[in-house]
Amino acid sequence: MNSFTQLQLTFDLIMTQLTIKLHQKLTGFLQDLDLKYIKLSHVYSLLLPLAPTLLHFGLHHVWITTTLLILSRVYLAKRSRPAYLVDFTCFKPDDRLKRSMQGIMEMSQNLGVFNQDTMRFQERVMVGSGLGDQTYVPPGPAAQPSVLNWETNLAEAKLVMYGALDSLFQKTGVPPQDIGILIVNCSGFNPNPSLTAMVVNHYKLKPEILTYNMSGMGCSAGLISIDLAQTLLHTHPDMYAVVLSIETMTPLWYLGNDRSMLLGNCIFRMGGAAMMLSNKSHDRARSKYELVHVIRTNKASEDKSYNSVQQREDDKGIIGVSLSRDLMTVAGDALKTNITTLGPLVLPLSEQLFFFITLVKKKILKMNVKPYIPNFKRAFEHFCVHAGGKAVLNEVQKSLNLTDRDMEPSRMTLHRFGNTSSSSYWYELGYVEAKGRVSKGDRVWQIAFGSGFKCNSVVWRALKTIPPGCCMGEAWSDCIDQYPVKVQVD
């Protein structure tokens, strides 16, 4: 064996050992990455066929090739499938269910369960609530006399769900049998079979459909459902997901005299919304929005937050939803935590710099300076703040330094439809669309609050300009020209 052959064998042996060590390091590196969608077998399948070739290249070439393979796999694994909002619809109840404030007061009086002090309290709250005289109440409470039982609970749920879904399927042209994921959120009504099972049965959806029924998550559940839909669309290609956000008012109608529980009767009203999302690439051209960010904040570990909104019995054993006096403080704190995470993702660098400088002055240099409120109007063109009540909207407007026009969709939704819980921010986006304010590239920020206490944010980017009048038949179609109206803010 000549010296050249020996040298070649020695070189091959060294390269083999280096490759084995490189392989071991690569395996550990990929395991440390903890990437959900990277499989080591994918890397093996790429490296093993190339092993003989790699052995005959220099170490430099081995590292380059391996690095490129790693980067390509990391990119493919981390690249998220886009989630498109094809369209959405907001349920509009029959006009026979409209009730003015006076009509609701008469309905409450006819129930015969409220004392005079309680009746006067309800009247004061409703007069200053920001609600108008055209909100809707469910068929059970609207009946004369009111009927509050299981059957009316079920009737309200079916009316809202099927009404919203019928409209959604008609608008999108997608047959119900093409839906692969169904998510229904309803906080206060949890029948068996579930609401999702009712929808599957009504529309005869396919047996392999993925269904999720969410309850007890309050008014922010609609955005939590969007987050769940996004996660599922990331892992299931070529899929349609339908999110249905409703709240049944009938089982939540409080029949006692505890004032902390009466606020629900005064501001909650009937409504619901259905949204269709897709990860199909060909749906981008016809979709309205693309999902950009979802930021969720949960403060339930803090007792004050956890106890701020509770369904419980009063001293007479009557069930209702109690709102604590700390609610506005809790909501403001949850919002600040949420935007601390959201801000760096959406704010321009200049706004982040100002915020950082102020933070350094206050926390490190101990200077007495006012906290810097970032200008979120530089990050978003439209704001859809959950219409939880006038006090909630006032707190958010103050915290984010928003204008009356920024808050217009929320205040007008509260006036026209009341607090429809997890669907309210969809009525607000419907208002913006009906006004013809959405242009291609616009960014929409939906903000929701809910029991727990939770604050959730969803950011959308408009994929097209939406002209006024293109959403005829929607909830705002017969009244948009009458808005905005002047409402009492303070």
Side-chain angles (χ1 to χ4, degrees), residues 246-286:
I246 72 166
E247 189 57 78
T248 49
M249 297 295 105
T250 304
L252 298 178
W253 211 268
Y254 175 61
L255 301 177
N257 289 281
D258 187 323
R259 292 189 177 187
S260 70
M261 297 183 174
L262 280 166
L263 294 175
N265 294 13
C266 299
I267 63 175
F268 280 96
R269 296 293 182 265
M270 184 183 184
M275 291 66 67
M276 183 173 293
L277 292 92
S278 171
N279 59 11
K280 301 171 184 280
S281 58
H282 63 78
D283 275 326
R284 178 183 175 87
R286 72 182 186 121

Side-chain angles (χ1 to χ4, degrees), residues 84-352:
Y84 302 119
L85 178 61
V86 179
D87 213 330
F88 69 96
T89 185
C90 298
F91 175 68
K92 183 181 179 184
D94 191 279
D95 283 349
R96 289 175 295 181
L97 298 176
K98 277 184 183 180
R99 290 293 184 275
S100 64
M101 291 187 190
Q102 184 60 38
I104 293 175
M105 289 298 299
E106 292 174 0
M107 185 180 74
S108 296
Q109 185 69 56
N110 293 336
L111 286 171
V113 297
F114 302 116
N115 59 43
Q116 289 304 307
D117 286 343
T118 299
M119 289 298 298
R120 285 192 290 268
F121 173 76
Q122 292 185 72
E123 185 174 21
R124 288 198 306 271
V125 171
M126 282 195 287
V127 168
S129 66
L131 275 68
D133 281 328
Q134 298 191 57
T135 59
Y136 301 90
V137 295
Q144 295 294 332
S146 296
V147 181
L148 306 176
N149 56 28
W150 183 263
E151 289 301 320
T152 55
N153 293 349
L154 206 58
E156 179 190 353
K158 290 181 177 180
L159 180 62
V160 177
M161 289 195 306
Y162 303 156
L165 287 172
D166 285 348
S167 176
L168 182 68
F169 292 137
Q170 182 180 8
K171 286 182 68 175
T172 61
V174 176
Q177 290 69 33
D178 287 355
I179 304 305
I181 300 167
L182 173 65
I183 303 169
V184 179
N185 65 264
C186 181
S187 191
F189 185 50
N190 190 25
N192 189 4
S194 67
L195 296 175
T196 53
M198 290 165 55
V199 172
V200 171
N201 178 262
H202 181 80
Y203 291 99
K204 308 305 178 188
L205 303 182
K206 57 188 179 184
E208 62 269 24
I209 188 170
L210 305 175
T211 61
Y212 300 84
N213 201 87
M214 300 171 60
S215 64
M217 303 195 77
C219 301
S220 67
L223 299 189
I224 297 174
S225 295
I226 294 296
D227 187 32
L228 176 58
Q230 173 188 231
T231 301
L232 293 169
L233 288 172
H234 183 79
T235 57
H236 296 82
D238 199 35
M239 191 82 75
Y240 283 117
V242 166
V243 173
L244 186 58
S245 293
I246 72 166
E247 189 57 78
T248 49
M249 297 295 105
T250 304
L252 298 178
W253 211 268
Y254 175 61
L255 301 177
N257 289 281
D258 187 323
R259 292 189 177 187
S260 70
M261 297 183 174
L262 280 166
L263 294 175
N265 294 13
C266 299
I267 63 175
F268 280 96
R269 296 293 182 265
M270 184 183 184
M275 291 66 67
M276 183 173 293
L277 292 92
S278 171
N279 59 11
K280 301 171 184 280
S281 58
H282 63 78
D283 275 326
R284 178 183 175 87
R286 72 182 186 121
S287 296
K288 287 184 173 180
Y289 304 92
E290 181 177 1
L291 183 58
V292 182
H293 298 295
V294 179
I295 302 297
R296 294 172 54 179
T297 299
N298 192 322
K299 308 283 283 187
S301 60
E302 301 173 3
D303 291 343
K304 182 185 292 187
S305 297
Y306 177 76
N307 294 316
S308 61
V309 181
Q310 289 236 324
Q311 187 173 19
R312 60 176 180 82
E313 291 182 340
D314 65 10
D315 56 359
K316 305 293 184 183
I318 303 171
I319 296 177
V321 177
S322 174
L323 306 180
S324 77
R325 296 179 181 274
D326 296 323
L327 182 58
M328 289 303 100
T329 302
V330 166
D333 180 60
L335 176 64
K336 290 175 184 177
T337 302
N338 188 267
I339 64 177
T340 299
T341 304
L342 178 66
L345 299 175
V346 298
L347 288 168
L349 186 59
S350 58
E351 289 296 316
Q352 297 186 51

